[in-house]
Amino acid sequence: MSVWDDLQGQAPVVDQLRRGAAQATPNHAWLFTGPPGSGRSNAARAFAAALLCDQPDPALRGCGECKACRTALAGSHADVTSVTTEKVTISIDEARDLVRKAQDKPSTGRWRVIIVEDADRMQERSTNVLLKAIEEPPPRTIWLLCAPSPGDVLVTIRSRCRAVSLRLPPVEDVAELLIRRDGIDPAIARDAARAAQSHIGIAKRLATDEGARSRREAIVKLPLSLRNVSGAMKAAADLVALAEAEATSSFEQRDAAEKQSLLASLGAGDGGTLPPSIRSQVKRLEEDQVRRAKRSKNDYFDRALTDLLSFYRDVLMLQVGSGETLVNESLRRELTEYASHGSPEQTLLRMEEINVVRRRLVSTNVAPLLAIEAMAVSLL
């Protein structure tokens, strides 16, 4: 076992990070980029663990067995600060806190490592606060920034970072990871990896949650019910309801686990009256969860539209006879029938309509139901 085991299908990245961790003086700032589901944050955490690994031989750093590796991966190492946000942006105050933290000397390891998992959610003012700290970092501090693409980070920051580019791993590699790491049945793991289009987090959820699989299948089948405007309006309402149900299910599981973990760390049980000091901490957590849920719902709408897009992707593959494996292989008969009644040009136009709505939901305050209703009518 090593810290690199979960970076499935990322051999060039693993080689790059191994070399970086083995250096006596690694680069002081790294930018991890890759599409959602490629494992940017996992790669950053694995690299942090390797940088702090207790192995005296530089070539063996990232062993995954020593205390430094285990605590860094678990998020409890004293010299690793990891920042993520479910809000729209990382605030300037949060950026200032990071800069102050970066000035601290390592307490037990060789380095103090600062991981910013959502560097793309930093506004220019917040990024400028970090700029000087990254330009002239303390001698024992290493910054690890994560973003979907280099263009999502200001050029002044990007130019001072060593680039680490991840890709979406092949379906087979994602399935192998689910089988090995999570003990998933091989057939379910392969189906989930293909349906998730190699998004590791989504694949795990589909493999372990039958409700999530059912909701996804219902979304993918929606185009089969589009016959007229009234049918399109119903399909839009159904898609919104399915996306919200998936979001609620995910939030409930994650929120309950977070609350249980907080109570356990404070030495409190699930039942009974909590002392005021603990009540206030639980209340803050619940308020944070409400804010996170509000921000993250758009992510679930985007995922629902991505699943819908996979229907038309498969239709296009059949229409052009590409021979590519279908994302929704279980619907091959329905997809083939649908593909026979249209042209590749029509399918591409429908795919663009879906992508337009995805962009609107991210960049504007449009009501999801209204935007998706308009899209459903355009798909007729």
Side-chain angles (χ1 to χ4, degrees):
M1 173 184 176
S2 78
V3 300
W4 316 110
D5 286 351
D6 286 354
L7 299 184
Q8 203 75 16
Q10 306 288 355
V13 168
V14 170
D15 289 342
Q16 178 186 5
L17 297 179
R18 281 186 187 275
R19 292 194 301 271
Q23 292 174 349
T25 308
N27 201 71
H28 69 281
W30 300 69
L31 177 60
F32 294 75
T33 59
S38 59
R40 299 185 302 262
S41 299
N42 287 342
R45 283 192 292 271
F47 187 43
L51 288 168
L52 296 166
C53 181
D54 293 331
Q55 284 284 352
D57 183 350
L60 299 178
R61 285 177 187 160
C63 67
E65 301 291 343
C66 67
K67 181 179 179 180
C69 281
R70 287 185 282 106
T71 54
L73 289 177
S76 57
H77 196 292
D79 293 325
V80 179
T81 299
S82 183
V83 177
T84 185
T85 184
E86 299 285 352
K87 297 183 293 185
V88 175
T89 61
I90 293 176
S91 70
I92 193 167
D93 288 337
E94 290 172 308
R96 286 173 177 149
D97 287 341
L98 282 180
V99 171
R100 283 192 289 269
K101 191 71 175 176
Q103 304 305 312
D104 294 342
K105 292 181 179 180
S107 58
T108 61
R110 289 183 297 274
W111 310 101
R112 175 161 296 282
V113 183
I114 310 289
I115 303 174
V116 183
E117 295 189 19
D118 302 290
D120 55 308
R121 292 190 182 181
M122 300 183 71
Q123 294 180 324
E124 186 170 354
R125 288 177 62 215
S126 301
T127 308
N128 286 335
V129 169
L130 288 188
L131 180 58
K132 188 165 183 62
I134 292 178
E135 282 181 324
E136 302 173 10
R140 310 303 293 176
T141 295
I142 296 178
W143 291 86
L144 309 181
L145 311 181
C146 305
S149 73
D152 292 315
V153 179
L154 287 180
V155 67
T156 48
I157 293 285
R158 186 168 73 237
S159 63
R160 289 161 176 81
C161 294
R162 178 84 174 269
V164 180
S165 300
L166 291 90
R167 59 166 188 160
L168 276 176
V171 167
E172 295 77 14
D173 287 343
V174 176
E176 182 185 333
L177 177 63
L178 296 177
I179 295 166
R180 172 178 54 78
R181 184 190 66 186
D182 304 306
I184 305 298
D185 176 80
I188 293 176
R190 284 190 290 272
D191 288 345
R194 185 168 56 248
Q197 298 176 70
S198 292
H199 189 301
I200 295 171
I202 299 297
K204 180 179 179 181
R205 179 158 175 78
L206 290 174
T208 57
D209 187 334
E210 187 176 350
R213 293 198 295 273
S214 298
R215 286 187 287 272
R216 182 193 178 275
E217 184 176 357
I219 288 170
V220 172
K221 286 183 174 180
L222 283 176
L224 300 175
S225 65
L226 296 177
R227 297 286 185 271
N228 48 45
V229 172
S230 61
M233 302 297 273
K234 182 182 183 303
D238 289 345
L239 189 149
V240 170
L242 288 164
E244 289 182 338
E246 176 66 7
T248 300
S249 173
S250 177
F251 293 152
E252 286 176 347
Q253 294 176 20
R254 182 168 57 176
D255 291 354
E258 284 180 346
K259 184 175 180 180
Q260 186 177 17
S261 176
L262 175 62
L263 291 172
S265 68
L266 296 172
D270 288 325
T273 303
L274 298 174
S277 60
I278 294 180
R279 264 203 315 272
S280 64
Q281 293 187 57
V282 171
K283 184 179 180 181
R284 279 198 300 273
L285 173 64
E286 290 171 346
E287 289 171 349
D288 287 343
Q289 290 173 341
V290 169
R291 285 192 291 269
R292 179 175 65 191
K294 184 177 180 180
R295 166 62 183 88
S296 293
K297 272 196 175 180
N298 276 353
D299 294 339
Y300 285 91
F301 284 123
D302 186 72
R303 187 66 220 176
L305 292 173
T306 300
D307 290 333
L308 182 63
L309 202 56
S310 73
F311 176 94
Y312 292 103
R313 177 264 185 202
D314 286 348
V315 167
L316 184 63
M317 294 301 100
L318 291 168
Q319 287 172 332
V320 300
S322 73
E324 288 280 332
T325 302
L326 300 184
V327 173
N328 305 289
E329 185 62 43
S330 63
L331 298 177
R332 177 176 284 273
R333 182 178 61 80
E334 294 91 335
L335 289 162
T336 302
E337 172 67 17
Y338 188 96
S340 67
H341 294 293
S343 67
E345 292 77 14
Q346 290 173 317
T347 302
L348 285 170
L349 287 173
R350 288 172 174 142
M351 293 174 75
E352 179 55 25
E353 289 291 343
I354 296 171
N355 281 322
V356 166
V357 174
R358 291 178 64 197
R359 291 192 291 269
R360 283 178 182 165
L361 290 175
V362 171
S363 60
T364 70
N365 290 323
V366 62
L369 180 58
L370 292 177
I372 292 171
E373 282 178 344
M375 177 202 74
V377 171
S378 71
L379 297 177
L380 289 173

